[in-house]
Amino acid sequence: MSKIGKKKILIPKEVNLSINGDSLDIKGPFGSKKINLDTKLFEVNVSKNNELSIKPKRKNDDIKKMWGMNRSLLNNTVIGVHKGFVKTLEITGIGYKAAIKDNSLNLQLGHSHSTDFEIPKDVKISVEKQSIIKINGLDKQLVGTVASKIKSFRPSEPYKGKGIKEKGEYVLRKEGKKK
């Protein structure tokens, strides 16, 4: 049995859920999202006290694996349309800074040129104090992908700690050369 799949998803009052055949339409204060589910494998129920549950119609090893994943995807969507997801990136280094120009994020990261990152339409990026980047969105996977792509422009290096890292991320520091 899937431990994650058994858990019920509590639907907040601000979130509306409608089941249309193979798809679920979830609407909330931060937006709306549509999820496709395989109704041949899973059965989705909404109880009277606003709890969403997903159960497999038959049980074998492959379906048990997908049960927890589908429950997590539904839960992430409900959280995304209700509260949204936020990732905060910190830029460390002398002369390293970020700014938003039109629909792109302009990064100056110690190269001879500046790096422009095109902001996807479902994600909002804001820059605070030129060294803190906040990424907001209702899709957890897309927010994480954008954060990872921005971090890949200048990963934190272990000697001086310069680069881009997530807030709260620990960078293992190394000792420099000895005389």
Side-chain angles (χ1 to χ4, degrees), residues 1-178:
M1 294 296 270
S2 173
K3 291 180 182 178
I4 296 172
K6 286 183 193 176
K7 293 181 183 177
K8 295 186 180 195
I9 302 167
L10 182 67
I11 301 172
K13 293 179 181 176
E14 299 87 24
V15 176
N16 295 327
L17 183 89
S18 61
I19 301 170
N20 301 325
D22 283 353
S23 66
L24 274 106
D25 294 328
I26 303 171
K27 295 178 184 171
F30 276 84
S32 63
K33 191 162 181 187
K34 186 177 185 179
I35 292 185
N36 293 321
L37 277 178
D38 193 358
T39 54
K40 295 174 187 167
L41 300 177
F42 297 105
E43 181 180 323
V44 178
N45 295 320
V46 180
S47 66
K48 293 178 184 175
N49 51 353
N50 276 348
E51 288 184 340
L52 178 70
S53 64
I54 180 170
K55 293 182 181 171
K57 291 186 177 177
R58 60 180 190 275
K59 294 178 183 173
N60 63 26
D61 288 341
D62 293 332
I63 293 176
K64 285 180 189 176
K65 292 173 189 174
M66 292 190 301
W67 185 14
M69 181 194 69
N70 283 316
R71 189 258 178 211
S72 292
L73 291 174
L74 283 172
N75 189 36
N76 287 341
T77 304
V78 169
I79 292 170
V81 298
H82 182 243
K83 296 179 184 174
F85 291 100
V86 178
K87 288 248 183 186
T88 305
L89 302 178
E90 296 174 339
I91 301 174
T92 309
I94 296 173
Y96 290 17
K97 55 186 167 180
I100 293 182
K101 292 183 181 176
D102 299 328
N103 194 27
S104 64
L105 178 68
N106 185 293
L107 299 166
Q108 294 179 352
L109 301 171
H111 300 296
S112 61
H113 60 282
S114 62
T115 306
D116 288 329
F117 176 73
E118 193 69 30
I119 301 172
K121 64 176 182 158
D122 295 335
V123 173
K124 293 178 185 138
I125 295 179
S126 61
V127 176
E128 300 172 2
K129 298 192 289 184
Q130 294 183 343
S131 63
I132 296 175
I133 302 169
K134 283 200 172 189
I135 305 165
N136 298 323
L138 59 95
D139 187 0
K140 186 175 186 177
Q141 182 181 2
L142 186 61
V143 169
T145 304
V146 169
S148 175
K149 180 69 176 165
I150 292 172
K151 280 172 45 176
S152 71
F153 292 132
R154 180 67 92 167
S156 287
E157 54 98 10
Y159 295 103
K160 292 183 179 178
K162 295 162 85 174
I164 303 173
K165 65 176 182 141
E166 283 188 38
K167 186 174 185 176
E169 181 182 345
Y170 179 73
V171 177
L172 184 65
R173 300 292 295 270
K174 292 184 178 177
E175 189 176 349
K177 287 185 190 178
K178 293 183 180 179

